[in-house]
């Protein structure tokens, strides 16, 4: 599409280590590689970033990585000329000096606040709405990623989908499961079921809260590179992977247990059976978002004549309650495991539905062309 946009600044503060960072890093690469933008990515925590990008230096203020200029965002950042498009990741609040530089430019840069992903219907009415920044008078638009054509879309690129497709393998006798979750006090029920199941399972777990929970279940501390078995369950500890390797792992797994936003979206592009551990919020506000996504998935699966088994919804609820106060936290994991082929078909239909919609970066570029380049000169 024709557009005069050439440069972009993305700002991100690292929350809970990887989620926000993973989204902003993917978006930066999509805008650069798929839309030929010169992108500067401002990150406040390079140590966490290095887990996703091993080639990154944690000591440089400015460096090039995969065609992206990575800036170590510090409180006393150097003066910089803003780009044509400014993306504020998840309300991280731009530096005052940078906002002043935006105000001094003519015309002003396009300013977008990238919001968190949600399947709730209300985001469609709020997507792309403008807001006046009180101190500067600049206009900021709110961008809501989502699962419908009326939302801001999801991150994906043709190259990534090709890599995911290439990673798919024929069915194996050993079931493959990936585990990346927040604290899971009820994970022992699932691990017990996997250990007692007739099908041999290889569970790949990463450092963090999930590994601590698995170690507690085993009664011993596991470290990266270890492999231990109990019954029909083999547990292998992997290091944190960069995006390409993680995408391939998700595509090669029969069941993906994912958390947050970035791995959540990637698991949907993999199209295999999955459970989402949504980031817990006060007053269980996150469960409303979870229910909204579940309802959309089940609705699309039913329309595609690949109905989702009831065991999936029960397991999804259990995976996100994990609390003895909730009797629904005791899912029938044996039934869930038996239903994995049908769950896979339902989520494959959901993936096909999502592929009919334009991706997030492409929608951003269209937004810039429609709203910014059409303004009076």
């Amino acid at each position: 599409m024709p557009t005069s946009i050439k440069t972009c600044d993305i700002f991100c503060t690292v929350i809970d280590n990887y989620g926000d960072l993973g989204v902003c890093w993917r978006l930066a690469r999509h805008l650069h590689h798929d839309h030929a933008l010169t992108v500067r990515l401002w990150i406040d925590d390079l140590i966490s970033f290095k887990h996703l990008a091993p080639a990154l230096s944690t000591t440089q203020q400015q460096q090039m990585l995969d065609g992206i200029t990575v800036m170590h965002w510090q409180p006393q950042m150097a003066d910089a000329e803003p780009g044509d498009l400014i993306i504020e990741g998840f309300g991280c609040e731009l530096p005052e000096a940078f906002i002043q530089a935006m105000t001094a430019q003519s015309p002003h840069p396009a300013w977008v606040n990238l919001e968190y992903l949600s399947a709730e219907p209300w985001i469609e009415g709020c997507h792309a709405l403008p807001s006046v920044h009180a101190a500067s008078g600049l206009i900021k638009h709110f961008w809501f990623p989502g699962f419908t054509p009326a939302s801001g879309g999801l991150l994906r690129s043709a190259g990534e989908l090709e890599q995911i497709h290439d990673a798919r393998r024929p069915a194996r006798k050993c079931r493959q499961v990936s585990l990346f979750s927040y604290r899971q006090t009820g994970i022992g029920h699932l691990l017990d079921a996997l250990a007692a199941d007739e099908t041999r399972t290889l569970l790949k777990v990463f450092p963090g809260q999930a590994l601590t929970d698995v170690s507690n279940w085993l009664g011993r501390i596991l470290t990266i590179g270890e492999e231990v078995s109990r019954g029909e369950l083999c547990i292998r500890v992997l290091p944190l992977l960069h995006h390409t390797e993680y995408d391939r792992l998700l595509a090669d797994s029969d069941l993906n247990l994912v958390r947050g936003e970035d791995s959540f979206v990637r698991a949907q592009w993999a199209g295999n059976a999955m459970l989402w551990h949504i980031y817990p919020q006060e007053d269980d506000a996150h469960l409303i978002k979870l229910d909204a996504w579940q309802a959309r998935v089940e609705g699309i699966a039913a329309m595609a004549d690949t109905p989702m088994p009831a065991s999936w919804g029960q397991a999804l609820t259990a995976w996100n309650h994990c609390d003895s106060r909730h009797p629904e936290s005791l899912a029938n994991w044996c039934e869930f495991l038996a239903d994995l082929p049908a769950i896979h078909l339902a989520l494959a239909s959901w993936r096909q539905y999502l592929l009919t919609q334009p991706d997030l970066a492409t929608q951003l570029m269209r937004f810039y062309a429609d709203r910014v380049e059409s303004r009076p000169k």
Side-chain angles (χ1 to χ4, degrees), residues 154-175:
L154 300 174
L155 285 173
R156 76 169 188 269
S157 71
E160 288 174 337
L161 294 183
E162 289 176 2
Q163 291 175 343
I164 290 174
H165 177 77
D166 290 343
R168 295 179 182 275
R169 297 179 181 176
R172 297 147 301 198
K173 292 183 179 180
C174 180
R175 179 192 294 129

Side-chain angles (χ1 to χ4, degrees), residues 36 79 91 135 146 176 179 198 202 265 310 334 350 360:
D79 292 337
Q176 305 278 321
L179 172 60
E198 294 180 355
L202 174 60
V265 172
C334 294
W350 171 246
L360 191 152

Side-chain angles (χ1 to χ4, degrees), residues 120 276-294 316-322 326 328:
E120 296 172 276
W276 178 29
H277 194 183
I278 188 172
Y279 187 82
Q281 295 177 296
E282 294 183 2
D283 301 323
D284 287 342
H286 60 293
L287 297 180
I288 299 175
K289 298 179 181 179
L290 180 71
D291 291 344
W293 177 71
Q294 178 184 345
L316 192 63
T317 298
W319 199 239
N320 284 277
H321 277 121
C322 296
H326 296 276
E328 63 268 33

Side-chain angles (χ1 to χ4, degrees), residues 12-192:
C12 177
T13 54
V14 178
I15 304 297
D16 195 31
N17 295 326
Y18 311 112
D20 294 6
L21 170 58
V23 171
C24 290
W25 176 228
R26 287 191 192 273
L27 177 58
R29 286 181 293 148
H30 291 179
L31 291 173
H32 174 66
H33 294 294
D34 298 340
H35 299 280
L37 299 192
T38 298
V39 180
R40 207 165 33 184
L41 178 61
W42 300 81
I43 300 292
D44 67 341
D45 181 357
L46 297 184
I47 294 177
S48 292
F49 194 1
K50 189 173 179 65
H51 289 298
L52 299 182
L56 182 81
S57 168
T58 59
T59 60
Q60 295 185 40
Q61 171 66 27
Q62 177 177 331
Q63 58 192 293
M64 293 297 297
L65 185 65
D66 199 12
I68 311 299
T69 301
V70 177
M71 305 292 294
H72 188 192
W73 178 11
Q74 298 172 309
Q76 301 301 324
M77 55 171 281
D79 292 337
E81 180 180 354
D84 302 310
L85 173 64
I86 312 301
I87 300 175
E88 180 181 348
F90 312 105
C92 62
E93 298 187 4
L94 303 183
E96 184 58 35
F98 197 84
I99 294 178
Q100 291 176 2
M102 292 165 60
T103 306
Q105 284 188 319
S106 181
H108 299 319
W111 183 2
V112 169
N113 185 76
L114 180 64
E115 296 286 345
Y116 287 104
L117 172 64
S118 179
E120 296 172 276
W122 66 263
I123 72 164
E124 297 178 351
C126 296
H127 172 59
L129 287 182
S131 175
V132 179
H133 184 255
S136 66
L138 295 173
I139 302 297
K140 174 167 59 174
H141 290 84
F142 292 89
W143 195 271
F144 285 87
F147 304 93
T148 69
S151 71
L154 300 174
L155 285 173
R156 76 169 188 269
S157 71
E160 288 174 337
L161 294 183
E162 289 176 2
Q163 291 175 343
I164 290 174
H165 177 77
D166 290 343
R168 295 179 182 275
R169 297 179 181 176
R172 297 147 301 198
K173 292 183 179 180
C174 180
R175 179 192 294 129
Q176 305 278 321
V177 179
S178 74
L179 172 60
F180 185 53
S181 68
Y182 301 114
R183 178 139 180 85
Q184 277 284 359
T185 57
I187 196 172
H189 298 296
L190 173 58
L191 298 178
D192 288 339

